[in-house]
PDB file of all heavy atoms in Angstrom:
ATOM      1  N   GLU A   1       6.568  25.619   8.455  1.00 80.00           N
ATOM      2  CA  GLU A   1       6.219  25.752   9.861  1.00 80.00           C
ATOM      3  C   GLU A   1       4.988  24.910  10.191  1.00 80.00           C
ATOM      4  O   GLU A   1       4.900  24.314  11.278  1.00 80.00           O
ATOM      5  CB  GLU A   1       5.948  27.225  10.189  1.00 80.00           C
ATOM      6  CG  GLU A   1       5.568  27.482  11.645  1.00 80.00           C
ATOM      7  CD  GLU A   1       6.628  27.049  12.643  1.00 80.00           C
ATOM      8  OE1 GLU A   1       7.827  27.035  12.282  1.00 80.00           O
ATOM      9  OE2 GLU A   1       6.252  26.706  13.780  1.00 80.00           O
ATOM     10  N   VAL A   2       4.049  24.833   9.259  1.00 82.00           N
ATOM     11  CA  VAL A   2       2.860  23.992   9.454  1.00 82.00           C
ATOM     12  C   VAL A   2       3.274  22.531   9.602  1.00 82.00           C
ATOM     13  O   VAL A   2       2.814  21.826  10.509  1.00 82.00           O
ATOM     14  CB  VAL A   2       1.876  24.150   8.271  1.00 82.00           C
ATOM     15  CG1 VAL A   2       0.720  23.146   8.397  1.00 82.00           C
ATOM     16  CG2 VAL A   2       1.332  25.565   8.221  1.00 82.00           C
ATOM     17  N   ALA A   3       4.158  22.068   8.712  1.00 80.00           N
ATOM     18  CA  ALA A   3       4.613  20.679   8.763  1.00 80.00           C
ATOM     19  C   ALA A   3       5.336  20.378  10.073  1.00 80.00           C
ATOM     20  O   ALA A   3       5.232  19.276  10.619  1.00 80.00           O
ATOM     21  CB  ALA A   3       5.532  20.395   7.576  1.00 80.00           C
ATOM     22  N   HIS A   4       6.040  21.384  10.601  1.00 81.00           N
ATOM     23  CA  HIS A   4       6.806  21.181  11.831  1.00 81.00           C
ATOM     24  C   HIS A   4       5.929  21.253  13.075  1.00 81.00           C
ATOM     25  O   HIS A   4       6.047  20.419  13.984  1.00 81.00           O
ATOM     26  CB  HIS A   4       7.915  22.229  11.919  1.00 81.00           C
ATOM     27  CG  HIS A   4       8.760  22.126  13.154  1.00 81.00           C
ATOM     28  ND1 HIS A   4       8.510  22.863  14.299  1.00 81.00           N
ATOM     29  CD2 HIS A   4       9.831  21.350  13.436  1.00 81.00           C
ATOM     30  CE1 HIS A   4       9.393  22.551  15.223  1.00 81.00           C
ATOM     31  NE2 HIS A   4      10.219  21.635  14.715  1.00 81.00           N
ATOM     32  N   SER A   5       5.045  22.244  13.131  1.00 84.00           N
ATOM     33  CA  SER A   5       4.302  22.518  14.365  1.00 84.00           C
ATOM     34  C   SER A   5       2.917  21.878  14.421  1.00 84.00           C
ATOM     35  O   SER A   5       2.467  21.476  15.496  1.00 84.00           O
ATOM     36  CB  SER A   5       4.166  24.037  14.558  1.00 84.00           C
ATOM     37  OG  SER A   5       5.428  24.660  14.591  1.00 84.00           O
ATOM     38  N   THR A   6       2.253  21.784  13.262  1.00 85.00           N
ATOM     39  CA  THR A   6       0.888  21.229  13.255  1.00 85.00           C
ATOM     40  C   THR A   6       0.736  20.225  12.115  1.00 85.00           C
ATOM     41  O   THR A   6      -0.037  20.438  11.173  1.00 85.00           O
ATOM     42  CB  THR A   6      -0.157  22.349  13.115  1.00 85.00           C
ATOM     43  OG1 THR A   6       0.161  23.158  11.965  1.00 85.00           O
ATOM     44  CG2 THR A   6      -0.202  23.222  14.348  1.00 85.00           C
ATOM     45  N   PRO A   7       1.476  19.116  12.173  1.00 86.00           N
ATOM     46  CA  PRO A   7       1.418  18.138  11.080  1.00 86.00           C
ATOM     47  C   PRO A   7       0.038  17.526  10.882  1.00 86.00           C
ATOM     48  O   PRO A   7      -0.250  16.992   9.806  1.00 86.00           O
ATOM     49  CB  PRO A   7       2.446  17.077  11.512  1.00 86.00           C
ATOM     50  CG  PRO A   7       2.569  17.237  12.989  1.00 86.00           C
ATOM     51  CD  PRO A   7       2.387  18.701  13.247  1.00 86.00           C
ATOM     52  N   GLU A   8      -0.815  17.615  11.901  1.00 86.00           N
ATOM     53  CA  GLU A   8      -2.167  17.058  11.757  1.00 86.00           C
ATOM     54  C   GLU A   8      -2.997  17.815  10.718  1.00 86.00           C
ATOM     55  O   GLU A   8      -4.034  17.306  10.250  1.00 86.00           O
ATOM     56  CB  GLU A   8      -2.891  17.072  13.112  1.00 86.00           C
ATOM     57  CG  GLU A   8      -3.251  18.448  13.655  1.00 86.00           C
ATOM     58  CD  GLU A   8      -2.114  19.147  14.392  1.00 86.00           C
ATOM     59  OE1 GLU A   8      -1.002  18.577  14.429  1.00 86.00           O
ATOM     60  OE2 GLU A   8      -2.346  20.256  14.926  1.00 86.00           O
ATOM     61  N   LYS A   9      -2.539  19.005  10.338  1.00 87.00           N
ATOM     62  CA  LYS A   9      -3.258  19.782   9.327  1.00 87.00           C
ATOM     63  C   LYS A   9      -2.888  19.361   7.899  1.00 87.00           C
ATOM     64  O   LYS A   9      -3.379  19.940   6.942  1.00 87.00           O
ATOM     65  CB  LYS A   9      -2.977  21.276   9.512  1.00 87.00           C
ATOM     66  CG  LYS A   9      -3.557  21.847  10.808  1.00 87.00           C
ATOM     67  CD  LYS A   9      -3.308  23.342  10.915  1.00 87.00           C
ATOM     68  CE  LYS A   9      -3.927  23.899  12.189  1.00 87.00           C
ATOM     69  NZ  LYS A   9      -3.691  25.359  12.331  1.00 87.00           N
ATOM     70  N   ILE A  10      -2.010  18.380   7.781  1.00 91.00           N
ATOM     71  CA  ILE A  10      -1.608  17.862   6.480  1.00 91.00           C
ATOM     72  C   ILE A  10      -2.116  16.436   6.337  1.00 91.00           C
ATOM     73  O   ILE A  10      -1.847  15.579   7.176  1.00 91.00           O
ATOM     74  CB  ILE A  10      -0.073  17.900   6.325  1.00 91.00           C
ATOM     75  CG1 ILE A  10       0.434  19.335   6.457  1.00 91.00           C
ATOM     76  CG2 ILE A  10       0.347  17.301   4.987  1.00 91.00           C
ATOM     77  CD1 ILE A  10       1.948  19.466   6.433  1.00 91.00           C
ATOM     78  N   ARG A  11      -2.880  16.183   5.277  1.00 93.00           N
ATOM     79  CA  ARG A  11      -3.469  14.863   5.043  1.00 93.00           C
ATOM     80  C   ARG A  11      -2.823  14.226   3.820  1.00 93.00           C
ATOM     81  O   ARG A  11      -2.507  14.900   2.842  1.00 93.00           O
ATOM     82  CB  ARG A  11      -4.977  14.980   4.840  1.00 93.00           C
ATOM     83  CG  ARG A  11      -5.701  15.535   6.060  1.00 93.00           C
ATOM     84  CD  ARG A  11      -7.179  15.737   5.779  1.00 93.00           C
ATOM     85  NE  ARG A  11      -7.850  14.496   5.404  1.00 93.00           N
ATOM     86  CZ  ARG A  11      -9.154  14.414   5.114  1.00 93.00           C
ATOM     87  NH1 ARG A  11      -9.904  15.509   5.139  1.00 93.00           N
ATOM     88  NH2 ARG A  11      -9.695  13.258   4.790  1.00 93.00           N
ATOM     89  N   THR A  12      -2.640  12.898   3.892  1.00 93.00           N
ATOM     90  CA  THR A  12      -2.002  12.166   2.803  1.00 93.00           C
ATOM     91  C   THR A  12      -2.814  10.917   2.475  1.00 93.00           C
ATOM     92  O   THR A  12      -3.282  10.224   3.378  1.00 93.00           O
ATOM     93  CB  THR A  12      -0.571  11.753   3.189  1.00 93.00           C
ATOM     94  OG1 THR A  12       0.183  12.914   3.545  1.00 93.00           O
ATOM     95  CG2 THR A  12       0.131  11.045   2.042  1.00 93.00           C
ATOM     96  N   PHE A  13      -2.976  10.644   1.193  1.00 95.00           N
ATOM     97  CA  PHE A  13      -3.600   9.381   0.777  1.00 95.00           C
ATOM     98  C   PHE A  13      -3.010   8.964  -0.567  1.00 95.00           C
ATOM     99  O   PHE A  13      -2.613   9.803  -1.379  1.00 95.00           O
ATOM    100  CB  PHE A  13      -5.120   9.491   0.696  1.00 95.00           C
ATOM    101  CG  PHE A  13      -5.635  10.409  -0.372  1.00 95.00           C
ATOM    102  CD1 PHE A  13      -5.879   9.951  -1.661  1.00 95.00           C
ATOM    103  CD2 PHE A  13      -5.869  11.752  -0.101  1.00 95.00           C
ATOM    104  CE1 PHE A  13      -6.340  10.799  -2.645  1.00 95.00           C
ATOM    105  CE2 PHE A  13      -6.332  12.617  -1.085  1.00 95.00           C
ATOM    106  CZ  PHE A  13      -6.575  12.138  -2.368  1.00 95.00           C
ATOM    107  N   ALA A  14      -2.919   7.655  -0.788  1.00 96.00           N
ATOM    108  CA  ALA A  14      -2.309   7.111  -1.999  1.00 96.00           C
ATOM    109  C   ALA A  14      -3.373   6.652  -2.982  1.00 96.00           C
ATOM    110  O   ALA A  14      -4.519   6.365  -2.607  1.00 96.00           O
ATOM    111  CB  ALA A  14      -1.381   5.957  -1.643  1.00 96.00           C
ATOM    112  N   VAL A  15      -2.968   6.568  -4.255  1.00 96.00           N
ATOM    113  CA  VAL A  15      -3.857   6.115  -5.322  1.00 96.00           C
ATOM    114  C   VAL A  15      -3.417   4.731  -5.770  1.00 96.00           C
ATOM    115  O   VAL A  15      -2.236   4.514  -6.090  1.00 96.00           O
ATOM    116  CB  VAL A  15      -3.815   7.089  -6.519  1.00 96.00           C
ATOM    117  CG1 VAL A  15      -4.692   6.564  -7.659  1.00 96.00           C
ATOM    118  CG2 VAL A  15      -4.266   8.475  -6.089  1.00 96.00           C
ATOM    119  N   ASP A  16      -4.355   3.780  -5.795  1.00 96.00           N
ATOM    120  CA  ASP A  16      -4.064   2.419  -6.240  1.00 96.00           C
ATOM    121  C   ASP A  16      -3.782   2.451  -7.744  1.00 96.00           C
ATOM    122  O   ASP A  16      -4.641   2.868  -8.526  1.00 96.00           O
ATOM    123  CB  ASP A  16      -5.254   1.512  -5.951  1.00 96.00           C
ATOM    124  CG  ASP A  16      -4.942   0.036  -6.202  1.00 96.00           C
ATOM    125  OD1 ASP A  16      -4.027  -0.255  -7.005  1.00 96.00           O
ATOM    126  OD2 ASP A  16      -5.613  -0.825  -5.604  1.00 96.00           O
ATOM    127  N   PRO A  17      -2.589   2.020  -8.180  1.00 95.00           N
ATOM    128  CA  PRO A  17      -2.292   2.066  -9.618  1.00 95.00           C
ATOM    129  C   PRO A  17      -3.185   1.155 -10.457  1.00 95.00           C
ATOM    130  O   PRO A  17      -3.302   1.342 -11.667  1.00 95.00           O
ATOM    131  CB  PRO A  17      -0.825   1.626  -9.684  1.00 95.00           C
ATOM    132  CG  PRO A  17      -0.594   0.852  -8.425  1.00 95.00           C
ATOM    133  CD  PRO A  17      -1.463   1.486  -7.395  1.00 95.00           C
ATOM    134  N   ALA A  18      -3.816   0.174  -9.807  1.00 95.00           N
ATOM    135  CA  ALA A  18      -4.708  -0.724 -10.542  1.00 95.00           C
ATOM    136  C   ALA A  18      -5.963   0.004 -11.019  1.00 95.00           C
ATOM    137  O   ALA A  18      -6.538  -0.340 -12.061  1.00 95.00           O
ATOM    138  CB  ALA A  18      -5.101  -1.914  -9.672  1.00 95.00           C
ATOM    139  N   THR A  19      -6.393   0.997 -10.272  1.00 95.00           N
ATOM    140  CA  THR A  19      -7.594   1.751 -10.657  1.00 95.00           C
ATOM    141  C   THR A  19      -7.247   3.106 -11.259  1.00 95.00           C
ATOM    142  O   THR A  19      -7.997   3.644 -12.063  1.00 95.00           O
ATOM    143  CB  THR A  19      -8.503   1.988  -9.434  1.00 95.00           C
ATOM    144  OG1 THR A  19      -7.819   2.836  -8.486  1.00 95.00           O
ATOM    145  CG2 THR A  19      -8.863   0.666  -8.773  1.00 95.00           C
ATOM    146  N   GLY A  20      -6.100   3.646 -10.877  1.00 96.00           N
ATOM    147  CA  GLY A  20      -5.772   5.000 -11.297  1.00 96.00           C
ATOM    148  C   GLY A  20      -6.640   6.007 -10.564  1.00 96.00           C
ATOM    149  O   GLY A  20      -7.317   5.682  -9.575  1.00 96.00           O
ATOM    150  N   PHE A  21      -6.615   7.247 -11.038  1.00 97.00           N
ATOM    151  CA  PHE A  21      -7.394   8.306 -10.398  1.00 97.00           C
ATOM    152  C   PHE A  21      -8.882   8.056 -10.612  1.00 97.00           C
ATOM    153  O   PHE A  21      -9.337   7.836 -11.735  1.00 97.00           O
ATOM    154  CB  PHE A  21      -6.999   9.664 -10.975  1.00 97.00           C
ATOM    155  CG  PHE A  21      -7.609  10.826 -10.253  1.00 97.00           C
ATOM    156  CD1 PHE A  21      -6.957  11.426  -9.193  1.00 97.00           C
ATOM    157  CD2 PHE A  21      -8.855  11.326 -10.628  1.00 97.00           C
ATOM    158  CE1 PHE A  21      -7.501  12.501  -8.522  1.00 97.00           C
ATOM    159  CE2 PHE A  21      -9.424  12.401  -9.967  1.00 97.00           C
ATOM    160  CZ  PHE A  21      -8.750  12.988  -8.901  1.00 97.00           C
ATOM    161  N   MET A  22      -9.645   8.085  -9.523  1.00 97.00           N
ATOM    162  CA  MET A  22     -11.089   7.854  -9.556  1.00 97.00           C
ATOM    163  C   MET A  22     -11.804   9.070  -8.968  1.00 97.00           C
ATOM    164  O   MET A  22     -11.202   9.876  -8.252  1.00 97.00           O
ATOM    165  CB  MET A  22     -11.440   6.600  -8.765  1.00 97.00           C
ATOM    166  CG  MET A  22     -10.779   5.321  -9.295  1.00 97.00           C
ATOM    167  SD  MET A  22     -11.431   4.820 -10.894  1.00 97.00           S
ATOM    168  CE  MET A  22     -13.015   4.143 -10.380  1.00 97.00           C
ATOM    169  N   PRO A  23     -13.111   9.217  -9.240  1.00 96.00           N
ATOM    170  CA  PRO A  23     -13.854  10.367  -8.699  1.00 96.00           C
ATOM    171  C   PRO A  23     -13.718  10.537  -7.190  1.00 96.00           C
ATOM    172  O   PRO A  23     -13.664  11.665  -6.695  1.00 96.00           O
ATOM    173  CB  PRO A  23     -15.295  10.069  -9.110  1.00 96.00           C
ATOM    174  CG  PRO A  23     -15.161   9.276 -10.376  1.00 96.00           C
ATOM    175  CD  PRO A  23     -13.949   8.427 -10.172  1.00 96.00           C
ATOM    176  N   HIS A  24     -13.640   9.420  -6.464  1.00 96.00           N
ATOM    177  CA  HIS A  24     -13.549   9.559  -5.002  1.00 96.00           C
ATOM    178  C   HIS A  24     -12.215  10.162  -4.561  1.00 96.00           C
ATOM    179  O   HIS A  24     -12.123  10.761  -3.488  1.00 96.00           O
ATOM    180  CB  HIS A  24     -13.802   8.215  -4.298  1.00 96.00           C
ATOM    181  CG  HIS A  24     -12.697   7.208  -4.468  1.00 96.00           C
ATOM    182  ND1 HIS A  24     -12.650   6.324  -5.522  1.00 96.00           N
ATOM    183  CD2 HIS A  24     -11.596   6.944  -3.711  1.00 96.00           C
ATOM    184  CE1 HIS A  24     -11.590   5.557  -5.404  1.00 96.00           C
ATOM    185  NE2 HIS A  24     -10.924   5.912  -4.315  1.00 96.00           N
ATOM    186  N   HIS A  25     -11.190  10.029  -5.400  1.00 97.00           N
ATOM    187  CA  HIS A  25      -9.925  10.681  -5.072  1.00 97.00           C
ATOM    188  C   HIS A  25     -10.083  12.204  -5.170  1.00 97.00           C
ATOM    189  O   HIS A  25      -9.545  12.954  -4.344  1.00 97.00           O
ATOM    190  CB  HIS A  25      -8.816  10.212  -6.010  1.00 97.00           C
ATOM    191  CG  HIS A  25      -8.453   8.773  -5.858  1.00 97.00           C
ATOM    192  ND1 HIS A  25      -8.494   7.866  -6.900  1.00 97.00           N
ATOM    193  CD2 HIS A  25      -8.071   8.052  -4.763  1.00 97.00           C
ATOM    194  CE1 HIS A  25      -8.128   6.675  -6.465  1.00 97.00           C
ATOM    195  NE2 HIS A  25      -7.865   6.760  -5.169  1.00 97.00           N
ATOM    196  N   GLY A  26     -10.790  12.640  -6.193  1.00 97.00           N
ATOM    197  CA  GLY A  26     -11.062  14.070  -6.329  1.00 97.00           C
ATOM    198  C   GLY A  26     -11.858  14.609  -5.159  1.00 97.00           C
ATOM    199  O   GLY A  26     -11.579  15.705  -4.650  1.00 97.00           O
ATOM    200  N   ARG A  27     -12.842  13.822  -4.717  1.00 97.00           N
ATOM    201  CA  ARG A  27     -13.647  14.254  -3.559  1.00 97.00           C
ATOM    202  C   ARG A  27     -12.797  14.286  -2.293  1.00 97.00           C
ATOM    203  O   ARG A  27     -12.992  15.150  -1.426  1.00 97.00           O
ATOM    204  CB  ARG A  27     -14.848  13.323  -3.382  1.00 97.00           C
ATOM    205  CG  ARG A  27     -15.883  13.436  -4.504  1.00 97.00           C
ATOM    206  CD  ARG A  27     -17.185  12.741  -4.143  1.00 97.00           C
ATOM    207  NE  ARG A  27     -17.033  11.295  -4.085  1.00 97.00           N
ATOM    208  CZ  ARG A  27     -17.198  10.472  -5.120  1.00 97.00           C
ATOM    209  NH1 ARG A  27     -17.518  10.965  -6.314  1.00 97.00           N
ATOM    210  NH2 ARG A  27     -17.069   9.166  -4.975  1.00 97.00           N
ATOM    211  N   ALA A  28     -11.835  13.354  -2.189  1.00 97.00           N
ATOM    212  CA  ALA A  28     -10.960  13.330  -1.011  1.00 97.00           C
ATOM    213  C   ALA A  28     -10.084  14.576  -0.968  1.00 97.00           C
ATOM    214  O   ALA A  28      -9.841  15.148   0.104  1.00 97.00           O
ATOM    215  CB  ALA A  28     -10.090  12.074  -1.021  1.00 97.00           C
ATOM    216  N   VAL A  29      -9.595  15.014  -2.134  1.00 97.00           N
ATOM    217  CA  VAL A  29      -8.801  16.240  -2.185  1.00 97.00           C
ATOM    218  C   VAL A  29      -9.652  17.434  -1.783  1.00 97.00           C
ATOM    219  O   VAL A  29      -9.241  18.273  -0.965  1.00 97.00           O
ATOM    220  CB  VAL A  29      -8.211  16.454  -3.600  1.00 97.00           C
ATOM    221  CG1 VAL A  29      -7.624  17.862  -3.738  1.00 97.00           C
ATOM    222  CG2 VAL A  29      -7.142  15.413  -3.893  1.00 97.00           C
ATOM    223  N   ALA A  30     -10.866  17.515  -2.335  1.00 97.00           N
ATOM    224  CA  ALA A  30     -11.765  18.624  -2.003  1.00 97.00           C
ATOM    225  C   ALA A  30     -12.080  18.644  -0.514  1.00 97.00           C
ATOM    226  O   ALA A  30     -12.100  19.705   0.124  1.00 97.00           O
ATOM    227  CB  ALA A  30     -13.041  18.525  -2.824  1.00 97.00           C
ATOM    228  N   ALA A  31     -12.322  17.457   0.056  1.00 95.00           N
ATOM    229  CA  ALA A  31     -12.623  17.376   1.490  1.00 95.00           C
ATOM    230  C   ALA A  31     -11.416  17.797   2.320  1.00 95.00           C
ATOM    231  O   ALA A  31     -11.556  18.477   3.343  1.00 95.00           O
ATOM    232  CB  ALA A  31     -13.046  15.950   1.848  1.00 95.00           C
ATOM    233  N   GLY A  32     -10.211  17.402   1.863  1.00 95.00           N
ATOM    234  CA  GLY A  32      -9.000  17.786   2.587  1.00 95.00           C
ATOM    235  C   GLY A  32      -8.755  19.281   2.575  1.00 95.00           C
ATOM    236  O   GLY A  32      -8.106  19.816   3.474  1.00 95.00           O
TER     237      GLY A  32
END
């Protein structure tokens, strides 16, 4: 229902395979 009615509450970001998972990705998840 969230995805249907309030999609703005869902955040998406991709990880560059050249760097892999970096600390800022973890912070982005925490912020989200």
